[in-house]
Amino acid sequence: MGRYLGVFTSDKAGPKWRAWRAMSAAEQAATAEAGVAAVAAWEAAHRDVIDYLGGPLGPTRRISDAGEITEAVNRLTVFMVVRADSHEAAARLFEGHPHMTIFPCDGVEVMPVLGDPEQGQTVAGGGVRGASQGTASRPNRKPPRWASHAMPPTPASPRRTRAKTMPYSRALSRAK
């Protein structure tokens, strides 16, 4: 089975977001509550193929090849990693997902995660990527800022983890 990254997309100027913004606060809250329950049910039904649950993505910064950092707008909204027998099968997993049927996402871009995640990949400097993302192999370094929220799965940790993120309804209100 291969690993595939699914990135939900959403056109924040598109019709789904216009419809979302047209709802009252109470309608948005009720829809978000139903959506969160539907996402939890989808995750439970697919728990055997979810490798990493990921979560909502926040504001984007872009650095150019000249080193200039700017704010950027893109369609990337939520991500997760799944396991499937083929690229097509991975894409089909997301058919009818609540992020597209209840929340204002309009698609999922699905791409293979290349390399051998179980064995890791050697990177410059002799480190290993994939097999150990923790700081044990780098004792003189502090853990990354996101490490307190959720670490990517490693062979020594559970395969299915949930990133601690803000509630989806709160993320939606921040995207406005």
Side-chain angles (χ1 to χ4, degrees):
M1 272 194 161
R3 291 174 59 199
Y4 296 87
L5 173 66
V7 181
F8 291 81
T9 59
S10 183
D11 178 1
K12 291 167 184 73
K16 285 191 166 189
W17 271 99
R18 283 195 298 273
W20 181 269
R21 289 184 189 113
M23 287 189 233
S24 69
E27 289 172 318
Q28 285 182 5
T31 302
E33 185 177 335
V36 168
V39 168
W42 186 94
E43 290 170 355
H46 294 85
R47 70 177 168 256
D48 293 338
V49 295
I50 296 173
D51 198 32
Y52 183 69
L53 278 173
L57 300 169
T60 302
R61 296 273 191 261
R62 180 182 186 278
I63 185 163
S64 70
D65 57 357
E68 181 183 349
I69 298 175
T70 58
E71 290 185 17
V73 176
N74 60 44
R75 297 172 48 98
L76 310 179
T77 307
V78 176
F79 79 100
M80 71 170 39
V81 178
V82 297
R83 289 187 177 272
D85 290 328
S86 70
H87 201 162
E88 175 84 14
R92 292 274 175 214
L93 284 172
F94 297 102
E95 210 167 15
H97 191 283
H99 281 303
M100 294 183 290
T101 60
I102 298 174
F103 290 115
C105 290
D106 56 23
V108 182
E109 295 183 10
V110 180
M111 59 215 82
V113 177
L114 303 176
D116 182 358
E118 301 303 324
Q119 299 301 316
Q121 299 169 334
T122 303
V123 294
V128 175
R129 179 184 309 147
S132 174
Q133 292 289 339
T135 57
S137 60
R138 303 173 297 157
N140 296 328
R141 292 198 177 171
K142 292 181 182 177
R145 189 169 56 115
W146 54 262
S148 63
H149 298 291
M151 290 294 289
T154 63
S157 70
R159 295 204 71 61
R160 287 177 287 281
T161 57
R162 178 77 181 171
K164 291 182 182 174
T165 59
M166 71 178 80
Y168 192 77
S169 57
R170 203 164 130 214
L172 287 174
S173 66
R174 286 187 174 195
K176 290 181 181 178

